[in-house]
Amino acid sequence: RKEVEQDPGPFNVPEGATVAFNCTYSNSASQSFFWYRQDCRKEPKLLMSVYSSGNEDGRFTAQLNRASQYISLLIRDSKLSDSATYLCVVNGFYGQNFVFGPGTRLSVLP
Amino acid sequence: GAGVSQSPRYKVAKRGQDVALRCDPISGHVSLFWYQQALGQGPEFLTYFQNEAQLDKSGLPSDRFFAERPEGSVSTLKIQRTQQEDSAVYLCASSLNGNEQYFGPGTRLTVT
């Protein structure tokens, strides 16, 4: 089993739709969780950290379920500019070894 | 302020050549990470520095890969005797607190 797994994509949704991504991780001792977005041929950019209590930033909501070892990202009222690959990131087994998931590609269609 | 910069942005090397990739982190960022990203995949961790100390190099794929950060700022990733399977984008990231990471634009290495 891979350390971090994500929904296989791509997700093609119309503008205004709500879309949810899921991510599961295998290391129960992981402490830090993040969502990054990566545009085509660009570097990953931090979207949001994920806290135990869940957190919201505008149209984006992240949730963490430690018992089931999964993280989710919800995007409401999706925009064309949300089209990107969304990467789930978890700190790995050793110190600061961060593990990225393979990413889920989102295309928001007009 | 200035973000993370990397150079060169593109590098073509003949198989067997040595290459050196440079990363300039955000000023004051203690932590520095190197990743390798193959097409269509997420970044794979290579190594991590806290200041000048290399605390984790578990991701380096072979002893042909070597990284240093001698003064706790600029870092260099060196690949000796490059192979075709080394072709990838090499990403550097820095962090103030070791958690939230800020990435540079990457160096796209093509080994022919």
Side-chain angles (χ1 to χ4, degrees):
Chain A
R1 183 185 168 188
K2 290 186 180 175
E3 286 189 63
V4 178
E5 298 192 63
Q6 294 188 240
D7 289 331
F11 282 40
N12 297 315
V13 303
E15 267 186 292
T18 295
V19 60
F21 303 127
N22 291 313
C23 168
T24 56
Y25 60 94
S26 60
N27 180 6
S28 59
S30 296
Q31 295 295 319
S32 304
F33 310 92
F34 308 90
W35 283 102
Y36 280 73
R37 70 170 278 167
Q38 186 171 27
D39 293 284
C40 190
R41 299 178 79 85
K42 298 283 192 182
E43 72 273 20
K45 288 192 193 306
L46 179 65
L47 182 65
M48 56 200 305
S49 302
V50 186
Y51 304 120
S52 296
S53 53
N55 46 306
E56 189 173 309
D57 182 3
R59 298 181 294 108
F60 298 83
T61 301
Q63 301 256 327
L64 168 64
N65 184 321
R66 284 189 187 272
S68 301
Q69 293 178 213
Y70 83 77
I71 306 147
S72 64
L73 176 69
L74 185 77
I75 306 176
R76 288 180 300 278
D77 188 25
S78 52
K79 313 286 184 199
L80 295 176
S81 57
D82 294 334
S83 297
T85 295
Y86 290 82
L87 297 159
C88 172
V89 185
V90 177
N91 82 326
F93 287 97
Y94 305 109
Q96 296 296 322
N97 175 350
F98 284 85
V99 182
F100 280 72
T104 302
R105 189 154 62 87
L106 171 67
S107 291
V108 181
L109 308 172
Chain B
V4 178
S5 61
Q6 292 187 244
S7 61
R9 293 291 311 279
Y10 303 90
K11 177 70 179 177
V12 179
K14 287 193 187 335
R15 191 171 54 181
Q17 280 184 333
D18 297 349
V19 297
L21 313 180
R22 178 187 166 109
C23 173
D24 281 86
I26 294 171
S27 178
H29 277 197
V30 167
S31 301
L32 186 145
F33 303 79
W34 282 99
Y35 294 88
Q36 180 189 61
Q37 187 171 26
L39 193 63
Q41 300 190 20
E44 298 251 352
F45 171 83
L46 294 176
T47 187
Y48 160 67
F49 291 86
Q50 187 170 313
N51 295 306
E52 69 278 3
Q54 189 175 20
L55 298 187
D56 188 343
K57 54 182 181 179
S58 61
L60 295 176
S62 78
D63 59 7
R64 297 187 295 104
F65 287 71
F66 171 77
E68 60 183 4
R69 194 186 185 197
E71 296 176 2
S73 178
V74 170
S75 178
T76 304
L77 176 67
K78 296 179 180 176
I79 309 174
Q80 297 177 322
R81 303 182 304 282
T82 51
Q83 305 293 316
Q84 283 195 314
E85 62 262 27
D86 300 335
S87 296
V89 176
Y90 290 85
L91 293 162
C92 174
S94 71
S95 173
L96 184 61
N97 58 11
N99 276 321
E100 292 151 354
Q101 299 177 52
Y102 297 88
F103 281 82
T107 295
R108 185 175 298 274
L109 173 65
T110 303
V111 181
T112 60

